[in-house]
Amino acid sequence: MPLLVALVLVLAVGYCAFSGGSGEKSAKRACSQGDTMSSIMAANFVKRELRSPSTAKFGSHNNATIIDVEECHYIVRNHVDAQNAFGATVRQYFTVEIKKDPNSNNWRAIEVIME
């Protein structure tokens, strides 16, 4: 019986040590692909501001400027080509400050600036 208890304790300690059980490590993993996802989510928030979101064509992720402000907090700058109220396609530059809650995986726009 004492051998069984010792084995359970060793397994529990090993699991905690190697599973990355700390919340900080979990938060870092949750934001590990933040550049790509922040660009995608910024585009989603920009679409909400457009007259004709179905016509939107965004600049590539490679051409975007993405600033990693802090863990799960980004500023994304890019452009979008979309039709305006008159049906003409115009290019607009945008800056979106965006945050992800690592616990709920929800993204929120702090500020969307269309230039």
Side-chain angles (χ1 to χ4, degrees):
M1 186 66 147
L3 183 60
L4 181 62
V5 172
L7 180 61
V8 169
L9 283 173
V10 168
L11 290 174
V13 169
Y15 176 79
C16 290
F18 296 107
S19 70
S22 80
E24 185 176 315
K25 287 182 182 178
S26 297
K28 285 183 181 177
R29 275 196 307 269
C31 297
S32 65
Q33 296 179 344
D35 281 2
T36 303
M37 282 307 296
S38 63
S39 183
I40 292 167
M41 296 307 295
N44 287 338
F45 286 113
V46 167
K47 280 184 179 181
R48 295 177 184 178
E49 304 293 319
L50 299 174
R51 290 246 188 217
S52 185
S54 64
T55 65
K57 303 244 186 295
F58 289 88
S60 75
H61 171 72
N62 295 333
N63 292 331
T65 301
I66 301 171
I67 300 169
D68 189 351
V69 177
E70 61 185 19
E71 195 68 37
C72 298
H73 183 185
Y74 306 90
I75 296 174
V76 180
R77 180 162 170 72
N78 204 346
H79 71 269
V80 61
D81 298 328
Q83 290 181 357
N84 63 13
F86 301 106
T89 300
V90 294
R91 177 165 287 183
Q92 283 187 283
Y93 290 88
F94 62 84
T95 303
V96 179
E97 185 175 355
I98 193 166
K99 267 189 153 181
K100 178 183 179 186
D101 180 349
N103 298 319
S104 67
N105 274 345
N106 290 329
W107 289 84
R108 68 181 173 95
I110 296 168
E111 185 173 29
V112 178
I113 301 170
M114 305 292 292
E115 299 170 17

